[in-house]
Amino acid sequence: MQFQKRHIGLLLYILFLLVPIYWLFNMSIKTNTEILGAMTLFPDNPTLANYATILTDPAWYTGYINSMIYVGINVVISLVVALPAAYAFSRFNFTGDKHLFFWLLTNRMAPPAVFLLPFFQLYSSVGLFDTHIAVALAHCLFNVPLAVWILEGFMSGIPKEIDETAYIDGYSFPRFFTTIFIPLIRSGIGVTAFFCFMFSWVELLLARTLTSVEAKPIAATMTRTVSASGLDWGVLAAAGVLTIVPGALVIWFVRNYIAKGFAMGRV
Amino acid sequence: MNKITNNKAWFLVLPVFFIVAISAIIPLMTVVNYSVQDIFDPQTRFFVGTEWFEQVLGDSRLHDALLRQIFYTLSVLFIEIPLGIAVALTLPRKGWGVSASMVLLALPLLIPWNVVGTIWQIFGRADIGLGGYVINLMGIDYNYAQNPMDAWITVLVMDVWHWTSLIVLLCYAGLRSIPDAYYQAAKIDGASRWAVFRFIQLPKMQSVLVIGVLLRFMDSFMIYTEPFVLTGGGPGNATTFLSQFLTRMAVGQFDLGPAAAFSLVYFLIILLVCWVFYTVVMNAGKQGEQ
């Protein structure tokens, strides 16, 4: 890679992205006295005590586990229901298809604040309040339409001759779909999973409203602890850094899919 | 692509239909139900017709929040779209730099929204945050918790930091779909850098830009968590946007009727803008092809 003048702009932008994150990390390995005492670019006495607090206190680390569980459930549900639907939208005309597609997208536009109370009542009345599955289902509201939208773009890029050839060769639909079609749109599924993970992982308003103790997400743990016990900046910063880690890992695994998948797909 | 007409395809769509219907239609009906009734407790309720709608539409606090919201969303779009395109143009096309840039750029997108708020809350403080400290060091009196202007700018910078990457990634996807032959032809014709951008790169980015603008419009219009954590809507009401106003009304004051009426109006505004934008851009695209 040759260095060019235009890369300076890129480097400056990436610097702008990274400095606030670095500052959070910097604070997470300082003691509270140092945070409040002096402005230091590097910690004088780096300490892992803040991380130890989080990883040993169940009130903290269960938050991460809860978040992971409902995000995982949500990604699986979204992909499983969106795959056949996206195939239908990309291959067939059927009564009401355009209206249905637009209606699905409108759900992506609904402000979560609108659905706050009804969701709370709905899930309370069926006894799902404060469970992982409730949050996962609630997040389907915006993730399923998004998954259908993205997957449809990828599937439209696969020539229809492949389907026809497979049927002539005697493949049944389920067998064709699972053994031939899904492997063809692997990178599309990767990109979709990435987006579903992303939007479910970062959402707080619904996740916080639908849980109290058992399934409380880490994001809610952070806001509540701050208001309850005064401001323990070091621990707060460490908790913040730990919420970035799963996201960073996911990006790392799908980085090649993103570059490739973006190029062929709709998103 | 020619599609076959086949109504059996409905069977493939049914799971999606059911799962979205449960999470969308039932709650939406509940909201409609609230919006036309005055509810004291589950047994005592009166039908009030359009009273809540009239009350909400005449509320001057709501008008202020709406104006702030519109101004905010426009600022977000005017900064993030050009900046996103510019950064996408500087991205390397091949080599190890591609993956590295992708990972670094996508990082802010994967941070939970309240943590984004926390990061900037810390970063902007004059006593413990690098950003606020440096600005004050330069002799500018900066305090986002007290000065409405500073709060406004901080929320805006935070949004640019958080979401410009999405536009960058989308534009980059559009740019990668341009075959090398186009650039070679442009070179032979002696096209200027601007001409290459205007006639080759911009048209190829159009479809992804539409998605980008729509997503940014919807999400910035619904913004809640980040300003909530950063400023709590203050100082005063300087950064109280529509979602925050709504949540305060519904959960804080428990005014279910007005809150529900307002929810419906809110939803319809977003729907209308998205529909108009989408239709206009798609028609312009069709005319361009002819």
Side-chain angles (χ1 to χ4, degrees):
Chain A
M1 199 175 79
Q2 220 176 339
F3 190 82
Q4 293 164 358
K5 231 184 342 183
R6 65 195 175 106
H7 289 146
I8 296 174
L10 181 64
L11 288 177
L12 281 178
Y13 182 72
I14 289 182
L15 195 69
F16 166 64
L17 291 185
L18 290 185
V19 166
I21 297 179
Y22 166 72
W23 194 250
L24 188 77
F25 174 70
N26 185 18
M27 273 183 67
S28 74
I29 51 172
K30 287 179 179 176
T31 56
N32 269 322
T33 13
E34 193 184 344
I35 291 172
L36 296 171
M39 187 60 62
T40 43
L41 273 182
F42 304 100
D44 289 336
N45 306 304
T47 165
L48 289 176
N50 295 322
Y51 289 97
T53 309
I54 289 173
L55 293 177
T56 51
D57 182 354
W60 276 107
Y61 69 73
T62 50
Y64 288 99
I65 298 171
N66 290 335
S67 291
M68 288 306 221
I69 292 175
Y70 72 70
V71 171
I73 297 175
N74 175 269
V75 172
V76 171
I77 296 179
S78 299
L79 281 178
V80 168
V81 299
L83 274 170
Y87 182 79
F89 281 118
S90 77
R91 291 294 193 262
F92 302 113
N93 283 320
F94 49 94
T95 318
D97 52 354
K98 301 219 166 49
H99 300 285
L100 185 65
F101 199 68
F102 187 74
W103 173 70
L104 282 178
L105 283 184
T106 60
N107 291 302
R108 180 66 182 70
M109 303 169 194
V114 170
F115 287 113
L116 218 52
L117 275 175
F119 265 145
F120 177 75
Q121 294 183 324
L122 176 68
Y123 288 113
S124 301
S125 68
V126 293
L128 280 177
F129 178 72
D130 202 16
T131 58
H132 301 110
I133 195 86
V135 184
L137 280 176
H139 284 176
C140 281
L141 177 69
F142 45 81
N143 268 352
V144 166
L146 189 75
V148 173
W149 195 18
I150 299 175
L151 284 173
E152 200 263 341
F154 280 101
M155 289 180 180
S156 298
I158 305 279
K160 214 165 54 176
E161 285 70 26
I162 291 181
D163 307 27
E164 284 156 7
T165 317
Y167 293 139
I168 293 170
D169 287 351
Y171 277 84
S172 66
F173 172 72
R175 187 152 158 251
F176 155 74
F177 199 72
T178 48
T179 57
I180 298 180
F181 200 69
I182 287 184
L184 276 176
I185 50 159
R186 260 202 320 267
S187 51
I189 295 177
V191 172
T192 314
F194 167 77
F195 272 91
C196 289
F197 175 92
M198 167 178 147
F199 281 109
S200 182
W201 176 253
V202 297
E203 207 279 338
L204 169 70
L205 196 54
L206 286 174
R208 192 180 58 178
T209 312
L210 292 178
T211 55
S212 64
V213 182
E214 290 298 311
K216 184 159 75 169
I218 178 61
T221 314
M222 282 179 70
T223 54
R224 282 174 195 177
T225 309
V226 171
S227 55
S229 65
L231 289 170
D232 192 343
W233 291 112
V235 174
L236 183 68
V241 170
L242 286 179
T243 61
I244 301 176
V245 172
L249 285 178
V250 168
I251 307 175
W252 181 253
F253 282 122
V254 298
R255 66 189 188 284
N256 292 323
Y257 284 128
I258 294 183
K260 244 183 259 155
F262 267 134
M264 65 182 278
R266 177 157 289 175
V267 157
Chain B
M1 191 190 297
N2 291 324
K3 295 182 189 173
I4 314 158
T5 304
N6 186 348
N7 274 326
K8 279 186 197 146
W10 258 101
F11 287 110
L12 298 174
V13 187
L14 271 184
V16 163
F17 182 77
F18 277 122
I19 209 156
V20 178
I22 290 175
S23 5
I25 291 180
I26 298 177
L28 198 62
M29 284 304 112
T30 320
V31 172
V32 172
N33 199 11
Y34 286 152
S35 73
V36 292
Q37 298 189 70
D38 195 352
I39 299 173
F40 294 101
D41 60 62
Q43 275 75 46
T44 330
R45 49 176 74 197
F46 300 102
F47 183 76
V48 295
T50 58
E51 194 180 303
W52 296 133
F53 286 93
E54 286 159 25
Q55 183 190 330
V56 159
L57 290 176
D59 189 341
S60 68
R61 288 173 308 158
L62 183 98
H63 297 164
D64 293 348
L66 181 65
L67 278 181
R68 267 195 297 274
Q69 180 74 70
I70 291 172
F71 186 65
Y72 175 75
T73 298
L74 286 179
S75 318
V76 161
L77 288 177
F78 274 111
I79 297 174
E80 289 181 11
I81 304 290
L83 183 64
I85 295 175
V87 174
L89 289 174
T90 66
L91 279 175
R93 247 172 260 285
K94 48 181 178 283
W96 59 270
V98 179
S99 295
S101 323
M102 284 287 148
V103 172
L104 291 175
L105 284 172
L107 206 51
L109 297 174
L110 264 296
I111 301 176
W113 295 343
N114 69 314
V115 179
V116 172
T118 309
I119 289 177
W120 283 88
Q121 188 190 21
I122 294 172
F123 192 69
R125 279 174 63 121
D127 54 346
I128 59 169
L130 187 63
Y133 181 76
V134 169
I135 293 174
N136 276 300
L137 213 61
M138 291 190 296
I140 303 164
D141 187 22
Y142 165 85
N143 185 341
Y144 68 80
Q146 267 154 30
N147 185 332
M149 194 62 200
D150 292 348
W152 181 269
I153 292 172
T154 312
V155 173
L156 202 57
V157 170
M158 175 172 70
D159 201 272
V160 169
W161 179 85
H162 190 182
W163 284 113
T164 306
S165 298
L166 184 73
I167 307 289
V168 175
L169 295 181
L170 287 171
C171 289
Y172 185 65
L175 286 176
R176 280 183 59 116
S177 66
I178 303 174
D180 273 343
Y182 284 38
Y183 292 115
Q184 283 152 12
K187 210 171 184 181
I188 294 168
D189 290 346
S192 67
R193 185 74 197 77
W194 168 252
V196 170
F197 173 71
R198 172 67 189 79
F199 295 108
I200 298 179
Q201 292 174 324
L202 201 58
K204 273 285 176 186
M205 283 192 285
Q206 193 205 358
S207 60
V208 282
L209 271 179
V210 171
I211 299 174
V213 171
L214 278 178
L215 281 177
R216 278 321 295 138
F217 167 75
M218 296 180 216
D219 288 339
S220 69
F221 215 76
M222 298 189 254
I223 190 166
Y224 172 79
T225 314
E226 299 99 311
F228 174 74
V229 175
L230 184 70
T231 62
N237 274 328
T239 51
T240 301
F241 301 117
L242 287 179
S243 270
Q244 201 150 1
F245 190 79
L246 174 63
T247 315
R248 213 181 280 167
M249 193 151 64
V251 186
Q253 302 158 2
F254 226 70
D255 288 335
L256 286 187
F262 173 47
S263 297
L264 292 178
V265 176
Y266 191 5
F267 191 18
L268 285 179
I269 294 175
I270 297 182
L271 211 58
L272 187 72
V273 174
C274 286
W275 185 79
V276 169
F277 179 79
Y278 191 76
T279 316
V280 168
V281 172
M282 283 300 136
N283 283 342
K286 266 181 210 149
Q287 274 166 7
E289 280 168 22
Q290 291 161 2

